[in-house]
Amino acid sequence: MANDLFKQPVAGLQALPPRATHPPRILVLYGSVRERSYSRLASEEAARLLQAMGAETRTFNPSGLPLPDDAPESHPKVQELRQLAEWSEGMVWCSPERHGAMTGIMKSQIDWIPLTSGAVRPTQGKTLAVMQVSGGSQSFNAVNQMRVLGRWMRMLTIPNQSSIAKAFLEFDEAGRMKPSAYYDRVVDVMEELVKFTLLTRDASSWLTDRYSERVESAEALSKRVNQKSI
C-alpha cells in the first residue's frame, strides 16, 4: 500500500467546502420521440415537481441525436447533451419498457455521455433517479437496467424509483398525470432526489476520491517525469 496516498476519510470530511446556495441543477432525459410519448410526459411531470421543490431543471430532447459512433462528437446534439451533463448536479432518466428493456433511444443518450472528458468525469458523484413507463402491467426491467448503467457511470442512484403501469391510463388529454398512487410515487422520487443532491453535491469530489486512482495518477506522473529526464 502506498502510505503517502492513503487517506483517512474523516480528515476529508472536515475539509469540505461550505454548502452551495444555488438551486440544485437537474438534467432530465426521456426515452421516446413519439408524438404522445408517455416517458416524456412523465419526465415533464417530474420537472414540474423538481421546480416546485426549488430545483433548476433542463430537459434534453433526444430527437435528432445520432446513434453512438455514427457521427462525430462535434455533432450539435451530442455537444448539447454533453454540455447539459456537465452542467447538471443530478439527473432523472425516464424510459419506456420495450421488449423487456429500456429503449435504444434511452441507451443512446447514456452512451453519448463519456465517462471522462479531459480531466472531468461528467457524471461521477452526481445523483440519479430512474423511472419507467409501461404499456401493460407494472414491471421493473427498465429501471433495473438503468440502475446498472448509473453505477457504471459512477453516479449515486437514489433508493426510490418509479414504475408507471398502463401509462396510457395515467395521463389526461392535456398530458398531465392524474392523481394516483403512481403520481404519489413520482413525487416521492423527486423529493428524494432533491434531498440526496443537496446532501452530496458539495461532497462529490470527496465521495468519489479513490485510492486506486490516486496511485494510478502518481504512477503516471512518475513515468512522465522520468521520460523527460531521459
Side-chain angles (χ1 to χ4, degrees):
M1 182 173 66
N3 290 331
D4 56 331
L5 296 174
F6 183 80
K7 297 180 180 179
Q8 289 188 341
V10 173
L13 180 61
Q14 295 169 348
L16 289 179
R19 288 190 179 276
T21 57
H22 64 269
R25 300 193 293 259
I26 308 297
L27 170 62
V28 182
L29 305 180
Y30 59 91
S32 169
V33 293
R34 290 178 177 176
E35 182 176 353
R36 186 169 171 83
S37 162
Y38 293 107
S39 65
R40 176 178 56 79
L41 295 180
S43 71
E44 289 174 352
E45 204 68 49
R48 292 187 192 97
L49 289 166
L50 288 166
Q51 292 164 15
M53 294 173 187
E56 180 183 358
T57 67
R58 296 183 186 178
T59 299
F60 178 74
N61 180 351
S63 181
L65 181 71
L67 290 171
D69 303 324
D70 197 35
E73 295 178 0
S74 59
H75 189 285
K77 291 296 289 189
V78 175
Q79 287 299 304
E80 178 189 355
L81 175 59
R82 292 187 172 187
Q83 289 167 10
L84 287 172
E86 291 186 12
W87 165 84
S88 69
E89 296 169 328
M91 296 188 192
V92 177
W93 295 351
C94 182
S95 177
E97 181 171 317
R98 184 172 296 167
H99 300 315
M102 78 181 82
T103 61
I105 293 169
M106 189 76 238
K107 183 63 163 53
S108 291
Q109 293 175 80
I110 300 167
D111 285 346
W112 270 120
I113 301 173
L115 284 173
T116 59
S117 179
V120 177
R121 297 187 187 276
T123 54
Q124 178 165 294
K126 297 181 178 182
T127 52
L128 172 65
V130 292
M131 303 168 57
Q132 76 169 73
V133 294
S134 301
S137 59
Q138 191 174 43
S139 173
F140 300 94
N141 291 323
V143 289
N144 287 339
Q145 287 184 324
M146 288 188 285
R147 282 188 176 278
V148 172
L149 287 171
R151 183 171 69 248
W152 188 258
M153 302 297 284
R154 299 184 174 190
M155 303 184 78
L156 303 173
T157 309
I158 66 171
N160 215 338
Q161 61 187 26
S162 170
S163 175
I164 304 169
K166 296 182 180 179
F168 61 93
L169 297 176
E170 298 301 323
F171 294 86
D172 62 23
E173 290 301 315
R176 295 300 304 271
M177 197 168 181
K178 301 174 184 177
S180 69
Y182 293 131
Y183 176 78
D184 293 346
R185 176 57 68 89
V186 174
V187 178
D188 287 347
V189 173
M190 295 308 110
E191 183 179 54
E192 190 170 290
L193 177 64
V194 172
K195 289 177 179 177
F196 270 77
T197 305
L198 289 170
L199 281 171
T200 61
R201 65 179 178 177
D202 300 311
S204 176
S205 60
W206 172 67
L207 290 169
T208 57
D209 182 32
R210 299 183 178 188
Y211 170 77
S212 61
E213 292 177 354
R214 292 196 297 272
V215 171
E216 183 181 12
S217 297
E219 290 176 349
L221 175 61
S222 176
K223 288 180 181 178
R224 179 167 57 82
V225 171
N226 290 335
Q227 284 176 345
K228 286 184 176 181
S229 64
I230 295 175

